[in-house]
Amino acid sequence: MSSLQLFLHRFETRGEAETIWLKEIFGFISEHLCPGLSEPAPLAADDVVTGVCADQLSVCLVKKLQENMAVTHVLPVSCRPVSVSALLSLQHVACVSNSSWTTNQQRAWEKEAELSVPGHLALPRVSLLLIGCLRVGQGGEWKLTDASGSVRCECLSPSPDWLNHPVFLPHWNYIPHNSPGQNQKVRGYVELIGSPAVLHSGPDQELAASPGEGAGFRRAVGVREATGLLHNRTRGQRISVYGLVGSVCPQLVVAGTTFFCFWLTDESHTVRVLVKDITRQWWTRCVYVGLSVCVTALRVCVLRGWRGNYILCVTDQSELHTNYTDTLLDTPPPLVMSHVENEDCEKVEPETDKAGFRMKKSRIISYRGTVTQVVSDAAGLYVIDRKVGLCLSYQPTLRRKLRAGDSVELHHVHFLYRPCPDFPPSMLCTCLRSSLRVTAFSGVVGAPPPDSGGLPRLLLEKNTGVSEYLWTCHLCSQLGHSLVPSLLKQHSVSVLSWKLMESVWRRGRRGRRDIYSEMLDDPHTCPLSQYTTDPTVHQYLSVSVLIGSLRSECWSSVSLSSLLPAGGSSLSRSQLNTALAWSCRTLTSDLQDGPRTGDSLGRRPLLLVGLLELPTLTSEPTVQLRDATGAVACVVTETSPEGGQGAVFNSAWIGCLVCVEQFTMVTERFLQSDFPSSQQLNQDKYITRKHCRVYLQFSLDHLHILSPSVAMTTHLGQRGEEIGGDGRERKQMVEEEETAGATTAGRKRRREASSVTVTTGPVDGSLRPCVSLVIRVEQKEGVAQRNRAAGLTVEEAGLTRCFSVRAAVVGPVVSWERDPKNGPVMDRETETEREDEVVLVLSGGSARWFPLLQPGCFYRLTAPNTQDPSVLIGSGFSGQRGVELHTDPTLQVQSDWRLHTLTRPPLQALPPTVLSVTEVLDSRSEMVCFQAQVCDRISLSDRTSGTGAGVCAGVRLTVCDQTGRTLQVYLDLSHTPYPLGLLPGNTLLLSGFQRRVSRSGGVYCRSLPVSSITVMSLGDTSSARPPPAPMMHLGVWALSREQSSIVGQVRGHVVCFLFLLLQWSCSLCGSPYLQVLYSIGFY
């Protein structure tokens, strides 16, 4: 009779299905399990099972299945055996298998699993039988093997008795390689829930005891005796020690050597055990805090680099025996917390000041809980019990990442209170002394967490504090959603976040970690023993969140009555609505001037990260800050070559990824209303229309460059400067983008792509021939909507944005094989006998250069994809019938042409003539260009529209200079884009304005279609007031024509009224009586 027939004869089958199932079981055991058992076990196995018959193992398996199901009269024909190779290759979804479940038990388990982690689905069930042999793999990992392959096996409480024996797994989870919590570099793994069923070769055979086990136990000593032997060691002596595991340090790899340590304790003594033997690294899965063990054949050795020196070291004869019982082992288990009280944390922790930072000491506790959120498994960040944060980054990366739903037990973990405001107040952080043990595997499927893979490596290299690391992790997750997609492909978000942290926190780097002292010293010290707390650390916001917050609080943060001046209740109808027509709200990024109650921006300083770009056809004609969520207009200034503040002029900033740390948020409110009096301000029916404009104000001097553009790299190279600490990080980013097998040409392309170019299109300028012309801007007109159809595309034709620039041509047109961008000016670019002038007309797409073109600055105008110099030669206007027109040549700038600022001018240029307010008042010129500070502004309404509420037609600015003299400037905004930055406190350059004299003899200025306004410097917009007017004598003031326009203060006596107007108002509602008006004239 064959083995198969003998096997079938042992069971009474009740049908063909059971017979087929038994044959399948027997065939599977013969094909996949028996060949693996005949091979020697690797790494010096304790017991190798050989010569095992397939029928005996098959019988044992069927009986184990029946025992597990508590049913002996029916065979589990629905359960199918699966090989390891089939599991890895065919099972692509995380699943659970339990051969003993009934349908009701499965439903109860699913409900419990989903309730433990809301928002997650339970693992789907499969009816698969997993059979193999448990062996030790590389690095001490456990694996389940059969003849087809092996799969990593994670166990909750593994026993050394399971190794190298055929086992059947009654309850297990399978997590494929693409599931959350799984390292992408390795294949899927099996989570063993409960103990495996060991398959014996005989029906009554039990596990044999290891040789010499009893002798080792008889010679074992306690921890107290072992402590004495450490200081009185004998050469060649081997001792066996029993005790409770007090601490298990993580497995480390240093200089190619893998090792870990654990502590054995009794009531009052401890000894450290070092495990360096490669064949004993699997012990790290078997020992955990509170377990009683006995370790045999230990030797006393000296550990170099540790102050304690003497330590017990495992030898190749050492054995580990778990669940060791002895009457002396009566030490109670360690106290484990399951919750923390935040209210008592600050009272317990001492707080000191060190180098200007608030320092706190962490507490050492043990904790047990359930992982409810995976913040970032690559960064080692999790949330336990929905309220306690967990940071594992100060330990080596776990081979099995935690999953939502895992129950964990932590010992010797650091408790920190409010280390970072972006994380839960209570944080648990593990160091090299801490031990983490999973006590129950998750039963739910989780969502993929965000990737922050580079941060632990940077933490290992730079050894920063936990507060800085947590802030960087939060920033990294935010940047991953808000960075421009092209930058995400070119740069590592982790490196950018780390670089930003170093520039914002500005704290010195710590020394190297002493790993041996951290694991073995008592009292314990490590980088987590002290930490900084700063509730005012910067808060990162995306552009869309910032704009949305400012817009939502535009009108809710103000009451209309607060916009009125003192005595606003007596204003007339016209005065009241004019005062409400425009208002402004400013907030600095440090929020020192706010926010008030109800504001959504919080109370922490703000931080923005984005790409500096030129404006689009539909946006305001200012520089923009853009990220993946949106763009915001920016009024930008920078330090001029002469050292003073001026408008932005350097085109190298365009395309730079920057961090804006100091800025002002401006919200301009516009209201069209027809309120009869101040008593009706709470009635919205009198409001015709209201809207707002949101933009930023900042100086380029307050930016941190995270990724320079190609032009900025050239600019910094010319100045001989480097961005602080940028060279090393920039090299790191390039190395991360290069693969090991990349060619030299491939590396060059990736380096060029790692910087953001000034414009869109091909980055490699070496393949684009071009012609260029060096110019110096003399005068710039204002941008306006004009009808410019010539030279434009079909989309740009018609009424489009346009302006012109009068510039001096420094040299001839030069041909290039590649775009020179903002490189040094060559001699051939300045070879000219005289300077000609040209009028550049920029319209449509080329009008985006408006915010960068400033009078007195040099630029290189380039036309790509051509070698024809005539494209940059302006064309004149031919006269008719012999009339000669003396005009400058005109050049239409195309949308694909580029303008690069030359910060090293080839010639010494005379600064443009700019007047002050005093000089304008005393001037006789009709067209003026002057600089002044805004001290007041009023919106002008056009009430000829037929509605009671006027339409905003312009702005009246009151400007002043250092002498205190003021001047009123009227702006017509009917055909021009709305200018930003016209705020009290800002200094403006007003070019091409018409000087006029009123009928009463007062001097004022008005804008023309060619007028231009440029913000030169940013002031305190919240408290901008003109200087006090000087005291004047009436006699001198009246006789002096030079001082007729001075605003001054006088002291005198009123001797006569020339005109008196009496107006009555209601005492109940405050409204003026329109029909009762008395006017008295005195002649």
Side-chain angles (χ1 to χ4, degrees):
M1 186 177 294
S2 64
S3 300
L4 176 59
Q5 292 175 341
L6 290 174
F7 170 66
L8 295 176
H9 185 69
R10 291 176 179 266
F11 300 95
E12 297 180 0
T13 58
R14 292 173 177 80
E16 183 180 0
E18 292 187 351
T19 303
I20 295 175
W21 182 81
L22 288 173
K23 291 180 179 180
E24 185 179 355
I25 292 294
F26 184 86
F28 183 87
I29 296 293
S30 302
E31 180 182 356
H32 292 91
L33 187 59
C34 290
L37 295 178
S38 61
E39 299 175 0
L43 304 180
D46 297 328
D47 183 16
V48 180
V49 181
T50 58
V52 188
C53 296
D55 60 336
Q56 294 176 341
L57 289 176
S58 300
V59 170
C60 184
L61 173 61
V62 174
K63 289 186 176 181
K64 292 289 184 182
L65 277 171
Q66 291 178 329
E67 292 175 3
N68 190 48
M69 298 179 62
V71 176
T72 58
H73 61 280
V74 178
L75 296 178
V77 295
S78 61
C79 298
R80 299 293 178 180
V82 60
S83 64
V84 171
S85 61
L87 181 70
L88 294 174
S89 59
L90 300 179
Q91 186 65 36
H92 303 296
V93 179
C95 59
V96 59
S97 176
N98 193 321
S99 57
S100 64
W101 275 347
T102 63
T103 303
N104 292 334
Q105 289 175 334
Q106 177 188 349
R107 291 174 180 175
W109 174 86
E110 290 177 350
K111 184 178 180 179
E112 181 182 357
E114 293 176 354
L115 287 177
S116 63
V117 189
H120 294 73
L121 297 177
L123 292 173
R125 181 188 178 186
V126 294
S127 297
L128 298 176
L129 300 179
L130 200 53
I131 307 165
C133 186
L134 285 176
R135 300 194 187 277
V136 176
Q138 185 178 5
E141 68 178 13
W142 289 48
K143 62 181 182 178
L144 184 72
T145 64
D146 62 10
S148 65
S150 63
V151 61
R152 183 162 58 92
C153 191
E154 297 290 341
C155 307
L156 295 177
S157 301
S159 171
D161 298 333
W162 302 344
L163 283 178
N164 307 311
H165 290 282
V167 294
F168 152 64
L169 306 186
H171 191 183
W172 50 272
N173 298 335
Y174 175 67
I175 309 300
H177 72 280
N178 56 352
S179 293
Q182 169 68 20
N183 192 335
Q184 301 298 319
K185 296 182 180 180
V186 299
R187 300 183 297 174
Y189 64 92
V190 172
E191 296 175 342
L192 177 55
I193 304 172
S195 300
V198 179
L199 303 180
H200 308 303
S201 58
D204 300 322
Q205 182 179 353
E206 297 294 336
L207 296 179
S210 300
E213 180 177 322
F217 283 169
R218 287 193 298 270
R219 295 193 300 268
V221 298
V223 176
R224 182 192 300 269
E225 292 81 1
T227 305
L229 295 175
L230 283 176
H231 304 283
N232 300 287
R233 61 172 182 156
T234 304
R235 190 175 185 86
Q237 183 183 17
R238 300 292 185 267
I239 61 175
S240 299
V241 182
Y242 62 85
L244 287 177
V245 178
S247 179
V248 181
C249 302
Q251 195 177 46
L252 300 179
V253 180
V254 178
T257 302
T258 304
F259 66 94
F260 77 98
C261 301
F262 63 94
W263 292 39
L264 293 179
T265 65
D266 60 7
E267 294 180 349
S268 57
H269 295 81
T270 60
V271 292
R272 289 85 166 166
V273 180
L274 176 65
V275 184
K276 289 181 60 178
D277 195 321
I278 190 62
T279 63
R280 300 296 186 271
Q281 292 303 308
W282 56 271
W283 288 11
T284 186
R285 271 78 176 165
C286 297
V287 294
Y288 53 88
V289 175
L291 178 69
S292 58
V293 299
C294 178
V295 187
T296 64
L298 295 173
R299 66 184 179 90
V300 180
C301 60
V302 177
L303 181 60
R304 297 179 181 177
W306 179 48
R307 293 188 298 268
N309 293 124
Y310 297 111
I311 192 171
L312 294 177
C313 189
V314 170
T315 63
D316 54 358
Q317 290 87 26
S318 298
E319 295 178 357
L320 174 68
H321 303 279
T322 58
N323 296 318
Y324 178 78
T325 56
D326 189 274
T327 55
L328 298 178
L329 291 178
D330 55 356
T331 304
L335 179 63
V336 180
M337 300 173 60
S338 59
H339 67 281
V340 290
E341 297 293 343
N342 295 341
E343 293 78 3
D344 300 331
C345 295
E346 291 185 320
K347 298 179 182 179
V348 177
E349 295 176 348
E351 184 173 325
T352 59
D353 291 332
K354 181 179 180 181
F357 302 121
R358 298 176 60 190
M359 302 294 296
K360 283 187 176 182
K361 292 183 178 180
S362 61
R363 291 192 299 167
I364 305 298
I365 65 172
S366 296
Y367 190 87
R368 182 186 295 118
T370 302
V371 178
T372 53
Q373 180 185 354
V374 179
V375 180
S376 174
D377 58 358
L381 297 176
Y382 307 87
V383 176
I384 304 177
D385 299 335
R386 302 184 183 89
K387 60 182 179 180
V388 181
L390 175 62
C391 176
L392 305 179
S393 304
Y394 286 79
Q395 280 190 351
T397 304
L398 297 176
R399 181 178 284 106
R400 177 201 178 271
K401 303 296 181 63
L402 297 181
R403 299 191 295 116
D406 285 344
S407 296
V408 295
E409 187 174 287
L410 298 146
H411 292 278
H412 204 279
V413 64
H414 292 262
F415 174 75
L416 293 75
Y417 188 69
R418 298 190 186 278
C420 179
D422 296 313
F423 283 82
S426 301
M427 288 293 300
L428 301 177
C429 299
T430 58
C431 65
L432 296 182
R433 176 78 178 276
S434 308
S435 60
L436 167 67
R437 178 188 171 219
V438 179
T439 58
F441 292 123
S442 171
V444 299
V445 180
D451 183 23
S452 305
L455 292 178
R457 178 178 59 83
L458 293 171
L459 176 64
L460 179 64
E461 294 176 358
K462 315 220 172 171
N463 190 25
T464 59
V466 63
S467 301
E468 294 94 319
Y469 179 76
L470 293 176
W471 186 87
T472 308
C473 291
H474 178 74
L475 176 65
C476 185
S477 65
Q478 297 295 314
L479 290 181
H481 295 91
S482 62
L483 271 186
V484 178
S486 60
L487 289 176
L488 289 176
K489 298 177 182 179
Q490 295 172 5
H491 298 290
S492 170
V493 182
S494 302
V495 177
L496 289 177
S497 303
W498 198 276
K499 181 178 179 181
L500 181 56
M501 181 273 294
E502 291 181 333
S503 61
V504 171
W505 286 70
R506 302 184 184 92
R507 298 184 181 178
R509 188 175 300 178
R510 300 188 180 188
R512 297 180 59 184
R513 292 174 67 178
D514 189 342
I515 60 173
Y516 295 116
S517 297
E518 189 171 334
M519 292 188 298
L520 305 174
D521 274 356
D522 194 12
H524 170 73
T525 57
C526 74
L528 298 174
S529 299
Q530 281 191 329
Y531 62 99
T532 61
T533 58
D534 188 1
T536 62
V537 68
H538 286 78
Q539 175 186 3
Y540 168 77
L541 291 181
S542 64
V543 172
S544 62
V545 172
L546 177 67
I547 295 177
S549 299
L550 295 177
R551 289 186 182 276
S552 64
E553 298 166 1
C554 172
W555 300 102
S556 62
S557 61
V558 65
S559 62
L560 296 182
S561 59
S562 64
L563 303 179
L564 300 178
S569 60
S570 61
L571 294 177
S572 65
R573 184 173 194 156
S574 175
Q575 293 172 333
L576 176 66
N577 291 284
T578 300
L580 297 175
W582 179 88
S583 59
C584 179
R585 181 196 187 208
T586 60
L587 284 174
T588 58
S589 58
D590 56 6
L591 300 180
Q592 294 298 319
D593 47 3
R596 269 74 62 182
T597 303
D599 287 355
S600 61
L601 295 179
R603 297 187 176 274
R604 294 163 53 190
L606 303 181
L607 198 70
L608 298 176
V609 175
L611 208 63
L612 290 179
E613 291 185 348
L614 293 172
T616 62
L617 289 174
T618 58
S619 64
E620 290 86 354
T622 60
V623 176
Q624 290 186 324
L625 183 72
R626 176 179 296 277
D627 63 11
T629 65
V632 60
C634 304
V635 177
V636 184
T637 63
E638 67 174 308
T639 302
S640 63
E642 292 76 19
Q645 280 292 313
V648 57
F649 65 93
N650 194 351
S651 62
W653 285 97
I654 304 302
C656 291
L657 180 66
V658 297
C659 166
V660 190
E661 186 177 355
Q662 299 180 26
F663 57 93
T664 301
M665 298 162 282
V666 181
T667 305
E668 294 190 25
R669 297 178 285 245
F670 302 90
L671 183 69
Q672 294 180 15
S673 61
D674 191 23
F675 289 104
S677 68
S678 60
Q679 301 298 322
Q680 289 82 27
L681 292 181
N682 59 346
Q683 301 180 24
D684 294 340
K685 65 180 181 180
Y686 295 105
I687 298 177
T688 305
R689 181 172 179 264
K690 63 180 181 180
H691 67 284
C692 65
R693 289 181 182 269
V694 175
Y695 59 95
L696 306 179
Q697 292 187 154
F698 56 84
S699 172
L700 295 178
D701 302 331
H702 298 150
L703 300 187
H704 301 289
I705 301 178
L706 301 179
S707 176
S709 64
V710 175
M712 179 58 71
T713 304
T714 305
H715 170 65
L716 295 176
Q718 291 176 359
R719 294 173 54 187
E721 297 181 0
E722 293 182 357
I723 304 173
D726 182 59
R728 183 168 54 257
E729 286 82 1
R730 189 167 173 78
K731 180 179 179 182
Q732 264 183 355
M733 285 188 282
V734 174
E735 290 176 350
E736 289 182 357
E737 294 163 3
E738 296 175 353
T739 58
T743 61
T744 305
R747 294 190 182 100
K748 181 178 181 181
R749 285 192 297 270
R750 273 185 289 271
R751 288 190 182 99
E752 290 174 352
S754 65
S755 294
V756 184
T757 56
V758 176
T759 59
T760 58
V763 178
D764 194 353
S766 61
L767 302 179
R768 301 183 62 184
C770 64
V771 291
S772 69
L773 182 68
V774 177
I775 61 174
R776 181 181 68 248
V777 174
E778 301 291 340
Q779 184 180 355
K780 179 177 71 169
E781 293 184 359
V783 62
Q785 299 290 340
R786 298 189 179 98
N787 190 3
R788 294 278 183 175
L792 301 180
T793 62
V794 177
E795 293 79 6
E796 296 173 342
L799 196 64
T800 185
R801 191 172 294 179
C802 177
F803 73 100
S804 61
V805 171
R806 184 170 58 85
V809 179
V810 176
V813 179
V814 179
S815 300
W816 304 84
E817 295 182 357
R818 55 178 297 179
D819 189 355
K821 296 187 181 296
N822 58 335
V825 179
M826 310 299 291
D827 293 338
R828 58 175 178 159
E829 295 183 88
T830 59
E831 294 175 354
T832 182
E833 297 179 357
R834 64 184 182 89
E835 288 187 357
D836 297 327
E837 290 193 348
V838 64
V839 176
L840 303 179
V841 179
L842 299 95
S843 56
S846 61
R848 68 186 186 276
W849 297 101
F850 177 80
L852 295 181
L853 295 177
Q854 308 299 342
C857 296
F858 288 81
Y859 300 88
R860 178 183 283 125
L861 176 64
T862 61
N865 301 324
T866 182
Q867 291 282 312
D868 184 9
S870 63
V871 299
L872 292 182
I873 298 177
S875 60
F877 294 94
S878 60
Q880 296 182 359
R881 296 181 182 179
V883 179
E884 183 180 357
L885 298 179
H886 297 280
T887 60
D888 295 327
T890 302
L891 182 62
Q892 178 74 43
V893 178
Q894 304 301 316
S895 59
D896 61 339
W897 292 6
R898 305 288 179 259
L899 283 159
H900 301 285
T901 307
L902 301 176
T903 54
R904 288 188 174 182
L907 301 174
Q908 188 68 30
L910 295 176
T913 303
V914 179
L915 305 178
S916 65
V917 171
T918 300
E919 292 172 335
V920 172
L921 293 173
D922 299 338
S923 175
R924 294 295 183 264
S925 301
E926 183 178 0
M927 300 295 293
V928 293
C929 174
F930 62 98
Q931 185 170 312
Q933 182 183 7
V934 180
C935 52
D936 192 19
R937 65 166 283 172
I938 296 177
S939 293
L940 302 179
S941 300
D942 181 10
R943 294 190 173 271
T944 63
S945 58
T947 60
V951 178
C952 182
V955 174
R956 188 190 74 186
L957 298 178
T958 302
V959 298
C960 62
D961 59 8
Q962 297 294 332
T963 64
R965 303 182 69 178
T966 60
L967 175 68
Q968 290 185 343
V969 181
Y970 293 85
L971 307 179
D972 183 9
L973 305 180
S974 57
H975 295 90
T976 61
Y978 181 79
L980 304 181
L982 307 183
L983 305 180
N986 287 352
T987 301
L988 307 179
L989 175 65
L990 301 104
S991 304
F993 277 73
Q994 184 181 20
R995 179 186 180 275
R996 304 192 67 175
V997 181
S998 66
R999 288 178 293 179
S1000 61
V1003 177
Y1004 69 95
C1005 290
R1006 55 168 294 187
S1007 64
L1008 300 175
V1010 296
S1011 301
S1012 174
I1013 303 176
T1014 305
V1015 178
M1016 301 300 291
S1017 65
L1018 306 175
D1020 185 2
T1021 58
S1022 61
S1023 59
R1025 293 292 183 270
M1031 294 296 297
M1032 303 295 296
H1033 294 284
L1034 286 175
V1036 178
W1037 199 3
L1039 296 177
S1040 176
R1041 295 182 58 87
E1042 291 77 7
Q1043 299 178 346
S1044 59
S1045 298
I1046 292 180
V1047 176
Q1049 304 180 52
V1050 296
R1051 291 182 179 179
H1053 300 279
V1054 178
V1055 295
C1056 179
F1057 284 99
L1058 298 181
F1059 182 80
L1060 179 63
L1061 177 67
L1062 299 178
Q1063 181 173 318
W1064 302 90
S1065 61
C1066 178
S1067 61
L1068 296 179
C1069 66
S1071 302
Y1073 288 94
L1074 300 180
Q1075 296 180 354
V1076 182
L1077 193 66
Y1078 295 95
S1079 60
I1080 304 175
F1082 299 90
Y1083 303 99

